Amino acid sequence: MIVEIIFEDETIVVVNKPNNVLIHNSYYARNIKDATILDVLQNQLGFPLYPVHRLDRKTSGVLLLAKQKENVAIFQELFNSNKIEKTYVGIVRGFVEESKLINSPVKNPDTQVYKNAETLCKPMQKVVLNIPVHPYETSRYSLVELKPATGRMHQLRIHMNKISHPLVGDYKYGDRFHNRMFENEFDCNNLFLHAISLKFQHPITQQKIELTAKLPNDWNFVMKKFGWKSFE
């Protein structure tokens, strides 16, 4: 596996994380023995990196890592103080007709305490397919833009399920009938959630950074099937 490098300077490396790759080993993924993104990048670049934020294993897209451990906190402060704009795209079940601000607490898996979480969901494109999915004779999907104001674990997946528009390929919070249809019709079983961009002012160089991660191949395949316009 070769990981695409989106941006690199003396302090950070930003990569396009593939689907189904852990950032690092953790208790929650203790049964997964595959190489992590940190392992792959260490072999690819020849030096260690330190993650500033996290993406779920099944989520692809922009991931920011620090070259020096002492700089992690400096960049994490951008996320903690909402000085970084995170944008995701997702494919969800059903039609999202208008922008929605989802403001619903999400449970922390460590403490079991609910914490405030906020996501702005904006519809982009939609499609009706003449493919039956139980209990309907057709199936409907929306392409949405998601902007989380907080960074809770599984926040976007939980929030989209909360408004009855679960992400396609989400085997924990999603709809098994639609997931199965994507497997059978399109040979796709990945989660359709992609961290498309990060925008921030570099806290060390003061440079304005705007980074975009290309869509995975399964996204391009499905968007072509659906007749959706490219937005990259």
Side-chain angles (χ1 to χ4, degrees):
M1 179 197 308
I2 300 295
V3 177
E4 178 192 359
I5 308 297
I6 301 173
F7 177 86
E8 181 177 0
D9 67 9
E10 293 182 355
T11 57
I12 58 173
V13 173
V14 183
V15 304
N16 188 357
K17 176 190 168 297
N19 290 102
N20 299 319
V21 181
L22 285 170
I23 295 175
H24 52 69
N25 294 311
S26 71
Y27 173 79
Y28 300 106
R30 57 194 177 278
N31 295 324
I32 299 170
K33 306 303 181 186
D34 297 336
T36 67
I37 200 82
L38 295 182
D39 296 331
V40 173
L41 288 169
Q42 167 103 40
N43 290 333
Q44 184 174 324
L45 300 176
F47 52 83
L49 290 167
Y50 306 92
V52 171
H53 63 123
R54 69 185 179 204
L55 295 176
D56 289 346
R57 177 172 69 93
K58 295 189 175 186
T59 303
S60 55
V62 184
L63 179 68
L64 194 158
L65 307 110
K67 287 185 174 180
Q68 295 84 24
K69 198 170 186 178
E70 58 269 24
N71 286 336
V72 170
I74 296 172
F75 285 92
Q76 280 181 338
E77 181 56 26
L78 294 174
F79 290 87
N80 297 337
S81 59
N82 266 345
K83 291 180 179 176
I84 192 161
E85 184 179 329
K86 302 169 288 181
T87 304
Y88 293 72
V89 287
I91 298 176
V92 301
R93 179 191 72 186
F95 283 173
V96 179
E97 300 287 4
E98 58 185 5
S99 294
K100 300 172 183 283
L101 183 64
I102 309 159
N103 197 334
S104 177
V106 170
K107 185 164 66 173
N108 183 298
D110 293 320
T111 63
Q112 299 297 300
V113 172
Y114 283 88
K115 292 187 175 183
N116 291 335
E118 186 176 289
T119 303
L120 178 63
C121 173
K122 176 183 173 184
M124 297 174 71
Q125 302 183 65
K126 56 188 179 181
V127 69
V128 178
L129 303 178
N130 290 317
I131 301 174
V133 175
H134 179 81
Y136 303 106
E137 294 183 0
T138 60
S139 43
R140 307 194 303 177
Y141 300 98
S142 296
L143 174 69
V144 294
E145 177 186 270
L146 301 170
K147 289 183 179 287
T150 49
R152 312 303 180 204
M153 189 172 182
H154 294 174
Q155 175 179 321
L156 299 179
R157 296 164 64 184
I158 292 169
H159 273 179
M160 295 316 295
N161 181 52
K162 185 83 175 179
I163 63 170
S164 299
H165 294 293
L167 287 151
V168 172
D170 190 336
Y171 289 82
K172 184 168 185 177
Y173 306 102
D175 183 311
R176 69 183 187 277
F177 297 111
H178 289 268
N179 293 343
R180 192 175 302 147
M181 189 280 275
F182 267 66
E183 289 177 21
N184 295 337
E185 297 291 332
F186 307 131
D187 195 27
C188 291
N189 56 15
N190 285 330
L191 174 67
F192 279 87
L193 179 62
H194 181 71
I196 192 80
S197 70
L198 285 180
K199 297 179 186 177
F200 60 97
Q201 183 171 346
H202 198 298
I204 297 173
T205 67
Q206 304 308 310
Q207 178 184 2
K208 287 188 177 179
I209 307 286
E210 184 172 339
L211 304 169
T212 302
K214 293 177 184 176
L215 293 170
N217 290 335
D218 53 354
W219 272 83
N220 293 320
F221 173 78
V222 166
M223 288 186 67
K224 187 174 180 180
K225 282 277 188 183
F226 287 6
W228 283 347
K229 296 176 183 177
S230 176
F231 55 88
E232 291 183 283

